[in-house]
Amino acid sequence: MTVNKLKIAIQKSGRLYDESVKLLKDCGIDLKNGVNKLKTESDNFPMEIYFLRDDDIPQYVEDAVADVGIVGENVLYEKNKKVDIVEHLGFGKCRLSVAVGRSEQYDGVGYLNGKRIATTYPLLVQQFLEKNKVMAEIHEISGSVEIAPGIGLAHAIVDLVSSGSTLLANGLKEVETVLQSQAVLIRTGGLMRVSSRSWINSFSYPGRKKKRVIINIYC
Ligand code: ATP
Ligand code: ZN
């Protein structure tokens, strides 16, 4: 009998890595030692694990190169790929926020009219501006967004925030929330319904009949 391995994409390193691996372990899935590898498999389940940059995970799952993946909602909505959310996972919590210089007189979203906003999330910022009927210029950059106002590149930024300490250190204050985000389990749109339901069970009830649930998908 051929066993199709379930392919899961998780972040290779970064803020989602530890919790993603822990989640698999909590579901009873043992990973072969895959330090510095891009791909490993499980010792006790028919599963392959791909370690990727988080930005690439939605595309891999849309293309069914990976069947399921774990990624932040912020990345998922920005990439705008056709995948299904199976489960909100409760970790990787952060918010995508608008921040301006601490001494600015911010009196609501109208402040942003005619301003330039630096971000790595152009689509989400565009949607936020449209929703709030604000005309502003979006300046897409690939990192170090928080220094943009200080060096005269932009009047405001939209970036991820958790504690707010990075904003503070760069003389900025948070003024609007664009998105509340956490890690989600996503799956390829066309994956068989039975698999998806089994996955929901295994993630929702770690420790309860998990072995049988996952093996049922493939036997
Ligand atoms: P990669 O090398 O995979 O592209 P990255 O540098 O883009 O990594 P990380 O900083 O590791 O990404 O963050 C991964 C995800 O963790 C974010 O997209 C977000 O969903 C979540 N996250 C939680 N808290 C924060 C935070 N304070 N700052 C940034 N991301 C956070
Ligand atoms: Zn990334």
Side-chain angles (χ1 to χ4, degrees):
M1 182 190 62
T2 317
V3 176
N4 289 320
K5 292 183 178 172
L6 188 79
K7 293 165 284 178
I8 183 168
I10 65 174
Q11 195 187 19
K12 177 171 162 43
S13 64
R15 294 172 194 261
L16 301 179
Y17 173 83
D18 286 343
E19 291 279 3
S20 301
V21 169
K22 181 175 179 300
L23 184 52
L24 294 178
K25 288 194 173 141
D26 286 349
C27 290
I29 297 164
D30 296 334
L31 308 193
K32 284 205 173 99
N33 198 352
V35 182
N36 290 330
K37 276 194 181 170
L38 297 179
K39 189 177 117 176
T40 189
E41 34 188 86
S42 169
D43 285 329
N44 60 346
F45 288 117
M47 177 183 289
E48 280 183 352
I49 300 96
Y50 299 159
F51 299 103
L52 303 171
R53 284 201 61 195
D54 63 349
D55 313 71
D56 296 332
I57 290 174
Q59 182 76 67
Y60 273 69
V61 174
E62 183 186 75
D63 294 345
V65 175
D67 304 303
V68 291
I70 296 176
V71 69
E73 289 174 287
N74 51 310
V75 169
L76 177 62
Y77 301 142
E78 178 63 32
K79 298 296 176 189
N80 201 20
K81 300 295 175 196
K82 290 193 192 72
V83 299
D84 297 338
I85 293 181
V86 180
E87 185 94 5
H88 288 74
L89 298 173
F91 60 84
K93 286 190 176 169
C94 56
R95 52 197 187 275
L96 189 65
S97 293
V98 182
V100 299
R102 230 181 2 240
S103 57
E104 290 296 303
Q105 292 277 344
Y106 184 86
D107 50 5
V109 281
Y111 167 93
L112 297 169
N113 267 310
K115 300 280 196 313
R116 185 190 290 172
I117 304 170
T119 189
T120 54
Y121 294 88
L123 179 64
L124 293 177
V125 174
Q126 188 195 327
Q127 290 169 349
F128 173 81
L129 295 178
E130 280 170 10
K131 195 177 92 194
N132 288 285
K133 301 189 170 45
V134 169
M135 299 283 283
E137 182 192 338
I138 299 170
H139 188 80
E140 184 180 356
I141 52 180
S142 59
S144 304
V145 176
E146 60 282 345
I147 65 162
I151 60 173
L153 185 67
H155 306 98
I157 65 164
V158 172
D159 203 11
L160 291 179
V161 181
S162 48
S163 72
S165 56
T166 309
L167 293 183
L168 208 62
N170 286 281
L172 302 172
K173 62 181 176 187
E174 190 177 356
V175 291
E176 302 282 345
T177 305
V178 173
L179 176 77
Q180 294 280 357
S181 177
Q182 63 175 285
V184 285
L185 178 72
I186 56 172
R187 69 175 185 120
T188 306
L191 202 67
M192 280 192 324
R193 195 161 273 282
V194 60
S195 323
S196 119
R197 209 176 292 128
S198 301
W199 267 86
I200 292 169
N201 289 342
S202 66
F203 275 94
S204 301
Y205 307 108
R208 283 178 51 193
K209 297 184 185 170
K210 54 204 172 194
K211 212 161 186 167
R212 202 158 55 89
V213 167
I214 294 184
I215 287 171
N216 274 347
I217 303 170
Y218 299 99
C219 294

